[in-house]
Amino acid sequence: MKVVALVSGGKDSCYAMMKSIHYGHQIVALANLLPADDDVDELDSYMYQTVGHQIIVSYAECMGLPLFRRRIRGSTRHQELGYRTTQGDEVEDMFILLREVKRQIPEVTAVSSGAIASDYQRLRVESVCSRLDLVSLAYLWKQDQSLLLQEMIANGILAVIVKVAAMGLVPGNHLGKEIAFLNAYLHKLKDLYGINVCGEGGEYETLTLDCPLFINARIVLDEYQVVRHSSDSIAPVGILHPLKFHLEKKVDIQSLTSPDNISETSVQKLGTVFEVEDTLERCEDTFKPLDCSADPIDDLAHKFNISRTNNKRTLSLSCSLQYSCNDLREDLKTVLAKIESLLAGFGFGWENVVYILLYIDDMSKFSEANETYVKFITQQRCPFGVPSRSTVEMPLVEMGFSKAYMEVLASNNKDKKVLHVQSISSWAPSCIGPYSQATLHDNILHMAGQLGLDPPTMNLCSGGASAELELALRNCEAVAKCFRCSISTSAIMFVVYCSKRVSSSERDDMQEKLQTILRQMRIFQLQEQNTCKALDPVVLYVLVPDLPKSACVEIKPVLYVDDGTEIATETITESSGSEAAHYWGFKQENWHDSCIRKLVVPGKICAVTLSITSEDAAKICFNSVSADSVNDDQYLQHKSLMEKSSRFCFYLLDKVMTDNGFGWEDLMSLRIYIPASLQMSIDMLLPMFNKALLELSEASQKKVLNGEEPIFSIVPVIGAGRSASSMSNIITCELLAQKSWA
């Protein structure tokens, strides 16, 4: 991509340019924001570093690139972490600056910045990029600061300290010193006082005088003045004010960039400095949100499959069309509008949605699905953060569904923590669009499905299914760390979607790799935390036709963010000491335990997977088959087997929840995976399972049902099971319950 680099003069923005070039991008322009008053060295801003701005004008000549500059006129130091377009704000100065760069150099498609740990800065850069249809590149984001500082020095960043504001840093002693000279001392201060060695906490700021990108000249600082802002005895604050400098020409220096590759538009402007002023066009005129209002849904013209749970904290809604002859775009539009209407019926909006599962019938039309999706779910409509999302292809049409099927998890409160990083970085795959990496709500962390993507390039890694799975797990762990937890010790459940292209032997290797990596992560994590407490998650494998980017595997973790409560790590259901209810004549037998995997956080969370194989179904039906019920019609026998198996599923799920102190009113989600090879349509399956649940409700006198709508969703798959090598269950259930409060 052609990149405009935001430069403050600091080491971070310069090294971010070097990393952008390393990953195949091309820097074609520089952009800088400076104080409106030349006599001012520093603005009171969380957003911009301006100390040393008098020297930045030389970067154009040093690098042989056009430099666009704008004086900051907007107000600074807003306290809110998130950002909405605000006239008169300092962020709008960046918008005007980058808009002008894009006008003069239309081929620019990305923006480089040096953000390492500041969400405040990153979110504002991403906001501006989103409005200008630019990609944010933040290759230093979330990198280990000690290693990063070492890298910068080793790769030729010559930068001097121009501001100090931390214990152990003294204006008269340390201003003007090179970071290479102070490297060991900064690490000593980290050990003593916990400072950020890259200065991310405002401990110090730098000015880059030379680096490999300075192909024409280096900057020599001849004279400067130390200006003390505070004489605090513990952490004095001072800045370096440049008085005199000159450029020292370079000869035959090999650089990371070559002007020969810069576009013709840019060639005419090499080394030129452009002052960007206000234009007649106002910022809000250039940013018009999509019209997201949904057309009214004619329920008479559409027949929907709808399910809804009845948890008082969160409810799961699923929706698809029946008998649709439309294309994917139209089906998804109708489903989204219907869900929006259902949410409104509860007084909810998209801002209440925590997680979304999107099933489509054809992954080659993923971009069409996204184009429709973003017309409903936007940053503007989700001010507390857009929901996390997983998207997979399922054999929908084969089982009587429409080409799009959607499930949403919505909360009755908006108290959630959303991680949405749109910048491409080395940290984890970016989410460029209205879906986030993870959402934390009521101690449950719902992660977006992760592929084996190389974060800085956003390409699938090579090496097949096992390599993709390993990288996907590393990506999940990077996300989990942002919430101070680990997938190795905090995971409740993993759903592993496998593409049908993956061979059985590859799936075996993949499962072994999953177990090995999690075990290694867990050992490291427990040693780091000096604890022995860890969850033992349930794992479910689902075989699907295709995944985004034609990936071999996608991982969807659910984590419990521990608040100190004692947790159960057992995953095999044990027989209850109390007498279990015998609905439909079922009685506890030893083999029942083999059908169930569970994890319980007492009084809080219950996660269950239930697997029914054809052998299990035969056992279920054996005692109930009488001479009168024997039928030569294979279809009727098949239907009878599924009816009895559906009752057994609810009997066993009810038993597990009851044994562990949970009820159906605590249900957050219940997915029932049915293989398309059974050739049973949704029209047949939905009444069958609903009838079984009705019978359970009547027999147990428990509040199981939720009006006329099912409390479960039926999901068509190629296969599913507890093992990656054997996904041949005829029924697989995935249940998540959270204790509901009155």
Side-chain angles (χ1 to χ4, degrees), residues 44 54 141 154 219 252 272 371 381 439 443 446 473 516 532 535 566 573 579 638 643 660 663 678-679 731:
D44 185 22
Q54 300 88 345
W141 181 250
I219 300 168
D252 297 329
T272 306
E371 288 171 7
R381 304 184 82 187
T439 304
N443 295 111
H446 304 270
L473 286 171
T516 300
C532 60
L535 295 171
E566 289 298 317
T573 296
E579 183 69 20
H638 195 52
E643 286 175 343
N660 290 281
L678 294 182
Q679 298 182 333
I731 301 174

Side-chain angles (χ1 to χ4, degrees), residues 573-594:
T573 296
E574 299 291 338
S575 299
S576 171
S578 59
E579 183 69 20
H582 300 159
Y583 309 125
W584 298 292
F586 293 125
K587 295 182 180 180
Q588 175 65 27
E589 298 184 36
N590 291 335
W591 67 270
H592 291 182
D593 290 346
S594 66

